[in-house]
Amino acid sequence: MSAISREQAAPDIRAQFLDGMSRAAFCVNVVTTDGPAGRAGVTVSAMSSISADGNSPTVLVCIHHQSKTAAAIVENGVFCINILRDDQSSIADCFGGRKLGDADKFACGKWVEGDTRAPRLADAVVAFDCRVLSAERVGTHHIFIGAVGSVTMGLGTALIYADRAYGKAERIVSPEPK
């Protein structure tokens, strides 16, 4: 068998990875920032808590290195993670670049200024206002670790992205043991 045939027969790990990750469910978040580099925001699903212990709770968020928001967070040193409600998919689409084009993304919702000046969605399920503790580029993405300075709780159920579509979480009622 020639080398070319072997390469074509090898599995496409990127395609397999993307297909596999599409089957996982994630909260849909809009990450925002403001400061010397200006106001920016982007839709992400790559967000996670790190720890509730220590001097302050910590979270991480991953943003593509070509995103204007990633560059702004690096310079501004602050960000806010806004977890969207299950009826806010239009906001996710705006900040994900699926609508508006070059229009003002922030026109898609009502925003207030958080403690760090990063815009906070007034009616998010929850918002975490953070100061950057660490920023590292890994491959195509920046990984930002933030110290959470404040948490603003809202109402509703989180918007979920799974199987390449928006959805919402529903409780599973376990049957009573017999």
Side-chain angles (χ1 to χ4, degrees):
M1 185 183 283
S2 72
I4 293 174
S5 297
R6 269 185 259 136
E7 287 177 24
Q8 289 173 344
D12 179 353
I13 191 65
R14 182 179 188 278
Q16 290 175 341
F17 177 80
L18 292 172
D19 189 42
M21 291 303 288
S22 76
R23 297 171 188 218
F26 300 96
C27 284
V28 180
N29 314 277
V30 170
V31 178
T32 59
T33 189
D34 201 355
R39 190 179 205 197
V42 67
T43 299
V44 303
S45 58
M47 182 281 289
S48 180
S49 67
I50 296 174
S51 177
D53 299 325
N55 293 334
S56 65
T58 51
V59 294
L60 73 79
V61 64
C62 302
I63 301 175
H64 196 279
H65 73 97
Q66 291 179 331
S67 168
K68 292 177 182 178
T69 303
I73 291 171
V74 168
E75 188 173 334
N76 292 340
V78 299
F79 61 91
C80 184
I81 301 169
N82 299 275
I83 298 179
L84 300 182
R85 273 194 339 253
D86 62 16
D87 62 349
Q88 294 177 320
S89 62
S90 63
I91 295 172
D93 287 342
C94 283
F95 281 84
R98 293 187 184 150
K99 294 189 174 183
L100 302 185
D102 289 334
D104 180 18
K105 296 177 187 181
F106 288 92
C108 292
K110 182 180 177 196
W111 300 88
V112 296
E113 190 173 286
D115 293 340
T116 65
R117 290 192 51 219
R120 178 173 49 81
L121 187 59
D123 54 356
V125 170
V126 63
F128 301 95
D129 201 21
C130 306
R131 296 201 180 280
V132 174
L133 290 177
S134 173
E136 181 177 348
R137 183 165 163 193
V138 176
T140 59
H141 283 67
H142 283 281
I143 300 173
F144 295 102
I145 296 177
V148 178
S150 68
V151 178
T152 304
M153 303 294 286
L155 300 173
T157 303
L159 179 64
I160 303 293
Y161 194 77
D163 293 325
R164 295 185 169 102
Y166 294 122
K168 63 181 178 179
E170 292 186 28
R171 293 192 184 275
I172 297 173
V173 179
S174 299
E176 292 292 320
K178 293 181 181 185

